[in-house]
Amino acid sequence: MTTETLLRRANNSTLDYYLLHTDAGSMPAAGLVVEEFVLADDFSAARLRSAGWTPADGGWWSSAAFARAVRTDRQLRARLAAVDRAAAEATYRQLGGGTLPDEPALRDHFHDDVPLSSGTPLRLGAGTDVHRVLFAGELDDRQLARLSTLLWLNGTASPTGTQPGVVGSGRLRVNDTNFHWDMRHVGGTWCLDVTSQPAASNALRWLLRQLTGLARGHGLIPATVDRLS
């Protein structure tokens, strides 16, 4: 099975789904959280849109404060578990919500967006186009090993000082575009740096989506996407 085939299987929905638990690891889930990053023309993240649903609240709610807190509060973050749409549909039905609305209808519940701005891109060199996906969360050794396998990381750190914090790299060719990504752990923060040559539109959007989805499935929560150059 090719790398591209595995990535295509990783994430087929356009929204991110999470189960919301009363406490970390508690079962069953108490509700759902649905999110979406809106990308600018240069594929940096412009806005984070979020909505939640719990039977106790009687419907859907949208809260920028909650979306921010998920990315800064470790205890709150531990109450979320990333799932695919099928699992979200099953949980919604089990909790008495009936049929989960389709994704266009779910977007109607996004009312309180989090504005995101990366500012002026950092210039890394002529002809270099890099997008950085920043994550909130921590990885234990098991999660890192599994994610490294799925991301096709080579598992070898770079020489000290040349690529600080790089724990592995992967690459993929999609149509006529060559992609390379580095997974980094710098200052306690995880990120994926994705380089494309030449700069691509639909292929880059797709790859950012797939790589982010794999990281979500192993305990990391995306915080933003910056264009570095």
Side-chain angles (χ1 to χ4, degrees):
M1 185 178 296
T2 66
T3 299
E4 186 172 354
T5 299
L6 286 169
L7 280 173
R8 288 191 183 280
R9 290 185 176 184
N11 196 347
N12 294 318
S13 63
T14 58
L15 301 179
D16 293 338
Y17 297 89
Y18 299 89
L19 301 186
L20 176 62
H21 298 272
T22 303
D23 299 297
S26 64
M27 294 297 289
L32 298 177
V33 173
V34 182
E35 294 189 336
E36 178 182 43
F37 283 90
V38 178
L39 301 184
D41 291 341
D42 66 356
F43 299 104
S44 63
R47 287 179 294 153
L48 170 60
R49 315 194 73 194
S50 178
W53 176 87
T54 52
D57 293 318
W60 289 89
W61 43 267
S62 182
S63 171
F66 179 87
R68 290 191 186 98
V70 165
R71 288 154 176 85
T72 58
D73 186 328
R74 183 172 184 172
Q75 291 183 333
L76 178 57
R77 192 163 54 246
R79 294 172 53 197
L80 294 184
V83 293
D84 59 17
R85 180 173 170 89
E89 289 174 331
T91 298
Y92 190 73
R93 188 177 301 109
Q94 291 166 3
L95 293 177
T99 300
L100 183 67
D102 61 19
E103 295 198 334
L106 287 175
R107 288 188 176 90
D108 290 339
H109 299 297
F110 296 150
H111 301 299
D112 190 12
D113 295 354
V114 179
L116 301 170
S117 176
S118 59
T120 303
L122 173 66
R123 299 298 175 184
L124 298 183
T128 303
D129 193 5
V130 181
H131 288 74
R132 171 169 290 175
V133 185
L134 287 168
F135 296 94
E138 304 76 28
L139 294 174
D140 59 29
D141 291 344
R142 180 187 58 81
Q143 290 170 318
L144 177 59
R146 177 59 178 158
L147 181 57
S148 295
T149 299
L150 292 176
L151 290 174
W152 293 274
L153 302 179
N154 58 28
T156 58
S158 62
T160 302
T162 58
Q163 296 188 67
V166 172
V167 299
S169 304
R171 62 183 64 249
L172 176 68
R173 183 175 177 85
V174 181
N175 299 327
D176 296 324
T177 304
N178 292 312
F179 291 102
H180 171 92
W181 55 89
D182 295 320
M183 189 170 186
R184 298 177 185 266
H185 192 223
V186 180
T189 300
W190 289 99
C191 65
L192 274 170
D193 289 347
V194 182
T195 303
S196 57
Q197 283 189 325
S201 54
N202 290 336
L204 176 58
R205 183 187 295 272
W206 169 79
L207 185 62
L208 288 172
R209 175 73 181 153
Q210 305 314 309
L211 295 176
T212 301
L214 290 173
R216 284 181 59 246
H218 291 80
L220 296 178
I221 294 182
T224 192
V225 182
D226 290 336
R227 181 172 178 258
L228 300 187
S229 65

